[in-house]
Amino acid sequence: MAAPASDPSWSDYYQKVAQRPVRDLLIQVVERFPSPGVAIDLGCGGGIETSELLRRGWHVVAVDQEAAALNSTFGQAPPEARDRLTTQCAAFGSVLLPAADLIWAGSSLPFCQPEHFPRLWEQISTALCPGGRFAGDLFGVHHAWREIPSMTFVTMEQVQTLLQSFEVELLNEREEERQTAFQGIQHWHGFAIVARKPVLA
Ligand SMILES: C[S@@+](CC[C@H](N)C(=O)[O-])C[C@H]1O[C@@H](n2cnc3c(N)ncnc32)[C@H](O)[C@@H]1O
């Protein structure tokens, strides 16, 4: 699964997981839409989910702070769909998100520095169109990496506060021993989320 933003590098991570299947949570959220729209892949990594969205007809804005991620994402994209792909090199602390029907953040938000997380969540909430959905993961406070100060960890209560203005369609808390990309088996505590921004009357 994920690797901390130290040694090994994110590029090593993209190569290591390049053959993994598309994340099931992404499939679950896209199947809730009657037709494709505009998606943001926030912390897109090597581009596996961006490619899946493109194959399904979505326009995708792929965002990552690593140029290697954006290069990989563009390279992996189906050539005939590249005109529907925009890449944005930006850090979570300063990113400006365009309007979107879907914001997908697979195993990426935990790598936002805690002091930047409130602004990032505000960006996500504002960028979503009414009826749009957020889907992604957050790490819980029992996660093995919880002592890493540059990462964000949350309690169930904090997740519920983040989602209080959303219609929660899926919220799964999991705590288990899990194989990681570079650090063997680690204690994993996380939340998988699908939440819809209400359509205001
Ligand atoms: C574990 S990878 C996940 C990649 C992909 N979404 C996936 O599911 O495999 C986390 C990604 O978040 C990006 N990232 C980490 N911290 C970031 C930050 N502060 N701003 C923007 N991107 C960041 C990394 O470059 C990396 O590509």
Side-chain angles (χ1 to χ4, degrees):
M1 292 295 171
S6 55
D7 188 27
S9 72
W10 282 119
S11 292
D12 297 329
Y13 174 75
Y14 307 146
Q15 286 177 18
K16 179 97 180 193
V17 303
Q19 301 306 318
R20 70 161 169 78
V22 175
R23 295 195 190 281
D24 183 57
L25 191 63
L26 179 86
I27 304 299
Q28 289 188 44
V29 69
V30 292
E31 290 186 347
R32 291 172 184 268
F33 288 87
S35 56
V38 175
I40 297 172
D41 187 349
L42 193 52
C44 61
I48 295 172
E49 279 67 38
T50 288
S51 285
E52 179 66 17
L53 287 162
L54 291 168
R55 274 192 290 274
R56 289 172 178 255
W58 288 72
H59 286 75
V60 183
V61 181
V63 179
D64 206 288
Q65 68 176 4
E66 298 287 325
L70 302 173
N71 289 338
S72 170
T73 296
F74 187 82
Q76 292 228 358
E80 69 281 6
R82 284 181 185 154
D83 61 342
R84 286 186 276 110
L85 172 61
T86 305
T87 58
Q88 185 179 345
C89 192
F92 292 149
S94 55
V95 68
L96 292 171
L97 299 178
D101 303 295
L102 168 63
I103 299 182
W104 163 253
S107 295
S108 58
L109 296 190
F111 297 94
C112 180
Q113 292 177 319
E115 62 270 32
H116 294 150
F117 189 83
R119 178 193 175 278
L120 178 61
W121 189 255
E122 179 63 28
Q123 279 282 310
I124 291 170
S125 304
T126 303
L128 275 177
C129 300
R133 290 180 172 88
F134 167 81
D137 318 284
L138 290 167
F139 283 176
V141 293
H142 302 144
H143 199 286
W145 300 341
R146 63 187 175 275
E147 303 297 341
I148 300 176
S150 60
M151 294 182 64
T152 294
F153 302 90
V154 290
T155 63
M156 175 59 98
E157 289 69 29
Q158 288 171 315
V159 174
Q160 287 169 338
T161 300
L162 290 172
L163 297 177
Q164 63 190 0
S165 67
F166 288 80
E167 299 161 2
V168 178
E169 297 183 322
L170 181 149
L171 175 54
N172 285 341
E173 179 176 14
R174 291 189 74 170
E175 195 164 346
E176 62 194 4
E177 304 313 305
R178 194 180 284 194
Q179 183 68 42
T180 62
F182 295 107
Q183 300 185 342
I185 292 173
Q186 298 267 299
H187 189 70
W188 194 271
H189 180 205
F191 301 90
I193 299 164
V194 176
R196 184 171 182 260
K197 184 169 174 172
V199 179
L200 301 178

